[in-house]
Amino acid sequence: AQSVTQLDSQVPVFEEAPVELRCNYSSSVSVYLFWYVQYPNQGLQLLLKYLSGSTLVKGINGFEAEFNKSQTSFHLRKPSVHISDTAEYFCALMDSSYKLIFGSGTRLLVRP
Amino acid sequence: EAQVTQNPRYLITVTGKKLTVTCSQNMNHEYMSWYRQDPGLGLRQIYYSMNVEVTDKGDVPEGYKVSRKEKRNFPLILESPSPNQTSLYFCASSFGGAQGTQYFGPGTRLLVL
């Protein structure tokens, strides 16, 4: 069975510090990988996605993620966070049958 | 404005009273999907649709029904709601199957008493 694990339920960080949100997945077949952000009381917005090709994927708002097939990981990074990045972040995978499977989410809390 | 709309946004109901949550998109997307979000569990897919009259089960379909009679609409039906269906529900749509960017609606918060 396929699954997505987000190891940290909450990540506190100071403003302008770098951050990494971890995501590991389990799948026996090729997958597509996504990171979504959910701001308070809003729906989800796509940050970035990996479908194929370059393993380093750049997204909106200065975020990037690296696909690592050997470690089955897709960690999200940002070199310098802002207060406005405070939100919940979800990693997700999709298989060839188009089912979308989400991790449990990581709440990023940026402090001044 | 390109968007996915859901109605109602908030709903309180009682066990066993049938309800429908509507979802509509104005982007001519083929793919539409319903998710529920519960604390600590992330989002779980309920049903999805690749196109008109084509629907399939996600990971948690029990207790739900869907239909896709028109491309723009994808209603979620709870024939006999139970308290364990209290949750936050999101509808989403995209082009090109699921590889396209999924656009999410604002969510519907449902409380079943």
Side-chain angles (χ1 to χ4, degrees), chain A residues 1-4 23-34 49-53 67-69 72-74 91-101, chain B residues 99:
Chain A
Q2 296 170 310
S3 65
V4 176
C23 173
N24 287 89
Y25 68 93
S26 173
S27 177
S28 58
V29 298
S30 297
V31 297
Y32 307 118
L33 292 162
F34 305 80
K49 60 185 176 185
Y50 172 79
L51 303 181
S52 64
F67 171 63
N68 188 319
K69 189 174 182 179
T72 60
S73 68
F74 191 54
C91 181
L93 71 80
M94 182 177 295
D95 65 17
S96 56
S97 66
Y98 305 117
K99 282 190 179 180
L100 195 60
I101 300 167
Chain B
Q99 295 180 48

